[in-house]
Amino acid sequence: MQLNRKLLGHLAALLTVIVWGSTFVYTKLLLLEGLSPAQIFTLRFIIAYVLLLAFSLAQRQKRGFRWLSQNWKDELLMVGLGVAGGSLYFLAENEAMNHTTTTNTSLIVCLCPLFAAALISCFYKSERLRPSQVLGTVLAALGVVVVVLNGHFVLHLSPLGDSLAFLACLCWAVYSLLMIRANSRYDVVFITRKVFFYGLLSMIPYYVFVPEMPPMSLLLRPEILANLLFLGFVASMLCFVVWNWAMKQIGTVTTTNYVYINPLTTIVFAWLLLDEKITLFFLFGTALILVGMFLADRKPNSKTNLKMDER
């Protein structure tokens, strides 16, 4: 039974990354229609939160229901998750695209498992990487570099844009760290609902300075509405729940390593939908990522101990 749950955890992480890799198409279409990155984030999180709240209320007889965490410290933890994995992450990543190239942004953001593993190992003894895992993580990161650069080894540096992309990378690393404690105390539906809620709440200061939303006539256009529903229902609500569940089944570091596959899925979708070519660099980078992930996932057979390092 435990083996089956771990296999399902790996499958859940893989499917989530595949969906997230496809979102560039839907997001790009919305951007071309005049929606801003902040508006897209806000609308998809509103859809996700409303649907997840409705589901939670409908299941309250079977699963129970709570508005708040058990104590104020845990509620602050949920605030951190909403900011790190929601508003600040998406704003930093999307705004980076306005100041640097897509290549730079993809390269920096997709290296977040490297930073997440380093950050988590500083706080949890059980998550410290062995030499083979370090080698696997470095190989997977190198594979991402090869795939994203695709043979063009020239980066157009932009201090502001690259810094924003790095901020997004660190945000996801912090989100992964905080999820360890959250997953040990609460169910994934409650955590995910709080992420959406505080992600939206922390966007209010942004709209104080940029008070604009697209007209309803634009949002109700069938192609716009369909894209928003996909991003809100599938890519946000379902994927966040599944991703957080996968973290609970196979561990935070292992789940986060699947982010390395994100550029692979993006390129495959570009090949299928935009007729872009698959190159030898892509195949070589893919091999490095898969070998690296295999090595990074190798752990000694011991029970996980999530006690904080008391050094």
Side-chain angles (χ1 to χ4, degrees):
M1 180 64 71
Q2 185 177 4
L3 178 61
N4 289 337
R5 292 178 73 87
K6 286 190 175 296
L7 289 176
L8 286 175
H10 283 284
L11 181 61
L14 176 62
L15 291 177
T16 300
V17 170
I18 289 174
V19 173
W20 281 344
S22 72
T23 58
F24 82 99
V25 175
Y26 302 94
T27 302
K28 184 67 175 179
L29 291 172
L30 293 174
L31 289 171
L32 291 174
E33 293 293 340
L35 276 71
S36 71
Q39 291 169 351
I40 296 172
F41 161 77
T42 302
L43 291 168
R44 66 184 283 185
F45 262 45
I46 288 175
I47 293 171
Y49 178 72
V50 170
L51 291 175
L52 197 55
L53 178 61
F55 172 80
S56 299
L57 290 173
Q59 295 290 315
R60 65 184 181 275
Q61 298 295 336
K62 296 180 181 179
R63 304 167 58 96
F65 181 84
R66 63 165 64 234
W67 287 104
L68 299 174
S69 305
Q70 295 175 2
N71 53 66
W72 66 269
K73 290 184 179 180
D74 285 353
E75 196 66 20
L76 285 179
L77 175 66
M78 300 302 169
V79 174
L81 286 169
V83 173
S87 57
L88 188 56
Y89 170 80
F90 280 98
L91 282 179
E93 182 183 50
N94 292 334
E95 192 61 31
M97 301 284 286
N98 292 327
H99 298 281
T100 189
T101 63
T102 303
T103 298
N104 287 31
T105 303
S106 300
L107 180 59
I108 295 171
V109 172
C110 286
L111 293 179
C112 75
L114 192 63
F115 294 95
L119 182 61
I120 291 171
S121 66
C122 292
F123 289 89
Y124 292 96
K125 291 181 179 180
S126 63
E127 296 292 343
R128 289 176 183 170
L129 301 180
R130 297 185 298 113
S132 62
Q133 292 176 294
V134 173
L135 175 61
T137 300
V138 172
L139 281 178
L142 181 61
V144 169
V145 174
V146 173
V147 168
V148 173
L149 294 182
N150 197 29
H152 304 287
F153 300 103
V154 179
L155 289 176
H156 302 281
L157 299 180
S158 169
L160 177 58
D162 295 341
S163 297
L164 288 169
F166 184 67
L167 175 60
C169 176
L170 290 181
C171 282
W172 198 255
V174 171
Y175 176 82
S176 301
L177 172 66
L178 297 179
M179 274 299 300
I180 295 178
R181 178 174 174 81
N183 265 333
S184 68
R185 299 175 66 85
Y186 300 95
D187 68 87
V188 293
V189 173
F190 175 78
I191 296 170
T192 309
R193 199 178 77 235
K194 300 297 280 189
V195 169
F196 293 147
F197 176 77
Y198 283 116
L200 289 169
L201 192 65
S202 57
M203 280 294 294
I204 293 177
Y206 174 88
Y207 285 106
V208 171
F209 296 97
V210 189
E212 60 177 17
M213 284 299 287
M216 189 60 65
S217 58
L218 175 63
L219 298 180
L220 292 179
R221 285 170 49 186
E223 63 274 18
I224 302 295
L225 185 59
N227 287 344
L228 286 173
L229 287 175
F230 173 81
L231 292 174
F233 176 64
V234 180
S236 292
M237 191 194 87
L238 290 181
C239 282
F240 266 82
V241 170
V242 172
W243 183 260
N244 293 341
W245 180 83
M247 283 185 174
K248 184 170 287 190
Q249 303 307 315
I250 61 176
T252 301
V253 173
T254 300
T255 305
T256 306
N257 279 338
Y258 274 91
V259 173
Y260 287 131
I261 295 179
N262 196 51
L264 306 184
T265 60
T266 299
I267 289 176
V268 169
F269 273 100
W271 172 62
L272 291 173
L273 302 176
L274 304 178
D275 200 29
E276 295 187 6
K277 294 182 178 179
I278 298 293
T279 66
L280 289 176
F281 290 100
F282 171 80
L283 297 177
F284 177 63
T286 298
L288 285 177
I289 291 173
L290 295 178
V291 171
M293 288 184 64
F294 172 76
L295 292 175
D297 191 40
R298 295 181 65 185
K299 296 182 180 180
N301 295 324
S302 60
K303 293 183 179 180
T304 301
N305 175 20
L306 293 180
K307 292 183 179 179
M308 299 294 287
D309 193 342
E310 296 178 354
R311 287 187 309 163

